[in-house]
Amino acid sequence: MLCLVILAFSGYASPIVAQNTSPADANADRSSDLRARAEQVIGLVNGELEPEEIFTEGFLRAVSPEQFDAISRQLTAQFGAAVLVEDLDPPTGTRAALSVRMERAIASGFIGIDPTSENRINELLFQSFEPTNDSLAKIETDLERLSGETSWSFGPLHGRAPALSSSRSDKQMPIGSTFKLYVLATLAREVAEGKRTWSDVVNIGERRSFPSGMMQDWPEAAPVTLHSLASVMISISDNTATDVLIDELGRDAVMGTMLESGHSNPALNDPFLKTREMFLLKSGPRDRLDTYLRGNADLRRRMLDGIEDLPISANQVGAAFAGGPIALDVEWFASADDIIRLMRYMQSTADPEALTIMAINPSMSQELRKKWSYAGYKGGSEPGVLNLSWLLRDAAGKDYALILSWRDDETSFDPASLELIAQRFLSLDR
């Protein structure tokens, strides 16, 4: 296997993965070869060695030198320079667990070499980063250095104690697919009230959105439970599942949840968009999008009437979004404080299965997951937008929330910069 995974995050941000075959582990006499290549990782991460000199051709086909250099710059910006190989276990054969000490973290994962290719590296995996000598002040400084606008809050979910760290937590920010938590909260409240059951079955029908997800490719007659729809909506951010649920629940019901949960400016989300509608607006004629941007809620509702029936291909959508940020005011909006209020609302009104669904994909490494007795997650993104939202519980049973939002109307930033900062928050001792 040839593999490079810099982050263990998944859902709204996919890790970088490349695969190829490699021979089975060789004998223990290759320990010096493995150790030598492990030592070269220090120079690779610090940009002192060229990837072409160290990696196999298969690796470089999957992860170009330019991609690797960009990843290295992100890592050293967050955690400082790589300093030394902390551990190589076992120090024999052609594959081992690898820990690298950086100035502000221990990076842990795996390394592999290919004896048929001059013992070049064919696997380099960093699964987790354990910050050392880190602090809230350092994290906040790095957040403020990001381009565009940021907003965040990290602290206890309940009580009067202030957040451990927050900035502009009351600012309305585009949140991408994190809006799906409002859909989940609506469904789970109706289940708790006895209006629905998780096992209720609906057909996908002709309702189709665009990836992320997989249900856009399912047969129209496919019967699916509400639980299945909610699970893929949250765990893999399935857009078609989301739109089916909004149709079943009704826009007004989801807007009702937004109001009842204490959203500070729900008018920004009126009318409550389905994902297909958002794609059609942003991928269609610019004059239609501009009219929608300028219009009031009544005009926008009229414009959405029948828009889902307009023809559009996945290629058209992909091409439109490949050009960078598009009209970021046509989105779903919430402040960090609003999302925290929603999490409290869910705890008090939702059927408990909703929190189980949020925990299907906690979007953190296994090592980080051990730090929390519960971790529920939803994130969202489009070019120029990223939100990462966690509901957490520590070993003592105390609930926390971590909400991070980033907006840049000018550039399609790399999500990894914020994802790495999130790992640092999640790793801190409280």
Side-chain angles (χ1 to χ4, degrees), residues 105-146:
I106 303 295
S108 299
F110 296 91
I111 185 173
I113 60 175
D114 184 354
T116 69
S117 183
E118 300 176 329
N119 293 312
R120 289 173 177 255
I121 295 174
N122 67 350
E123 175 182 4
L124 184 58
L125 163 71
F126 288 142
Q127 286 179 307
S128 64
F129 299 85
E130 183 72 23
T132 59
N133 303 316
D134 206 1
S135 68
L136 286 173
K138 292 177 182 178
I139 295 172
E140 289 167 351
T141 297
D142 289 340
L143 276 165
E144 295 290 3
R145 287 174 176 166
L146 296 177

Side-chain angles (χ1 to χ4, degrees), residues 186-423:
T186 305
L187 173 60
R189 185 190 68 238
E190 294 195 2
V191 171
E193 293 170 349
K195 296 178 180 178
R196 302 177 189 271
T197 67
W198 292 110
S199 59
D200 288 348
V201 175
V202 299
N203 293 102
I204 294 178
E206 298 180 356
R207 297 169 283 199
R208 289 291 187 276
S209 188
F210 301 92
S212 57
M214 58 184 180
M215 284 193 173
Q216 70 277 356
D217 299 320
W218 286 25
E220 290 183 13
V224 288
T225 65
L226 297 181
H227 192 286
S228 296
L229 289 166
S231 295
V232 296
M233 174 180 71
I234 300 299
S235 65
I236 63 171
S237 210
D238 193 293
N239 289 325
T240 294
T242 303
D243 287 0
V244 172
L245 283 173
I246 293 174
D247 280 340
E248 291 296 319
L249 296 165
R251 292 184 209 267
D252 290 345
V254 182
M255 281 298 296
T257 295
M258 191 164 276
L259 290 165
E260 291 176 19
S261 64
H263 192 291
S264 55
N265 193 353
L268 292 174
N269 299 288
D270 187 11
F272 197 88
L273 284 169
K274 289 186 278 187
T275 66
R276 180 175 173 85
E277 292 167 341
M278 185 273 287
F279 285 124
L280 283 159
L281 285 167
K282 295 197 179 191
S283 305
R286 184 69 205 199
D287 59 345
R288 183 172 68 198
L289 178 60
D290 289 341
T291 301
Y292 190 89
L293 275 165
R294 294 191 301 266
N296 59 24
D298 288 338
L299 174 61
R300 290 182 173 195
R301 288 191 201 99
R302 291 196 298 272
M303 290 184 67
L304 293 181
D305 187 25
I307 195 173
E308 288 186 275
D309 297 328
L310 296 176
I312 190 169
S313 69
N315 287 339
Q316 287 175 275
V317 172
F321 281 83
I326 310 171
L328 299 187
D329 287 330
V330 178
E331 250 275 0
W332 300 269
F333 282 83
S335 68
D337 292 340
D338 291 333
I339 298 173
I340 290 169
R341 283 189 283 267
L342 175 63
M343 290 176 175
R344 294 174 186 155
Y345 176 82
M346 290 180 69
Q347 285 188 337
S348 64
T349 67
D351 184 89
E353 189 64 15
L355 299 185
T356 301
I357 289 171
M358 282 183 64
I360 293 173
N361 177 10
S363 197
M364 63 177 69
S365 68
Q366 292 182 355
E367 289 302 310
L368 276 180
R369 182 65 185 84
K370 294 175 184 177
K371 290 179 173 288
W372 302 96
S373 65
Y374 171 85
Y377 169 82
K378 186 72 193 83
S381 66
E382 67 165 296
V385 170
L386 180 60
N387 174 270
L388 311 171
S389 294
W390 281 270
L391 173 60
L392 306 156
R393 183 169 297 140
D394 66 14
K398 187 174 183 179
D399 291 334
Y400 289 80
L402 172 59
I403 317 295
L404 299 162
S405 285
W406 187 6
R407 172 179 183 164
D408 191 329
D409 292 73
E410 302 300 323
T411 61
S412 296
F413 51 71
D414 189 336
S417 298
L418 190 63
E419 293 162 355
L420 286 166
I421 288 174
Q423 287 206 48

